[in-house]
Amino acid sequence: GYEAKRQALNTLITSMPQDNNFKVVNFGQDANLGSTMAYANTTYFSADGIHPTVTGYKLIAKYVANVIKSFTW
């Protein structure tokens, strides 16, 4: 079903950086954003179940900032 496809796609995406020398912001590892029913949590997702709320975007930004900080220049 859908969940198996979602997990397979996430596995593919998160394995790609090793092969292609780029980074992925894996905010899906956060239970509030990436768990099976996370889209139903209106604290983090809007009513459409796709787009984050302001709170959701703030949480995503934390993960993006951590990845940016991990770069070595």
Side-chain angles (χ1 to χ4, degrees):
Y2 169 79
E3 183 58 23
K5 289 177 183 176
R6 183 183 75 87
Q7 288 180 8
L9 181 59
N10 284 342
T11 298
L12 175 66
I13 291 169
T14 57
S15 69
M16 289 169 57
Q18 299 167 22
D19 301 333
N20 297 296
N21 199 29
F22 63 88
K23 297 196 182 245
V24 169
V25 179
N26 187 8
F27 55 84
Q29 66 189 352
D30 186 293
N32 295 310
L33 299 172
S35 65
T36 303
M37 295 293 294
Y39 67 87
N41 184 337
T42 56
T43 299
Y44 300 100
F45 288 92
S46 63
D48 67 7
I50 297 170
H51 298 95
T53 61
V54 170
T55 302
Y57 277 119
K58 286 179 182 180
L59 189 54
I60 291 169
K62 180 181 83 170
Y63 288 103
V64 171
N66 287 338
V67 169
I68 291 170
K69 289 176 187 175
S70 76
F71 280 98
T72 55
W73 306 95

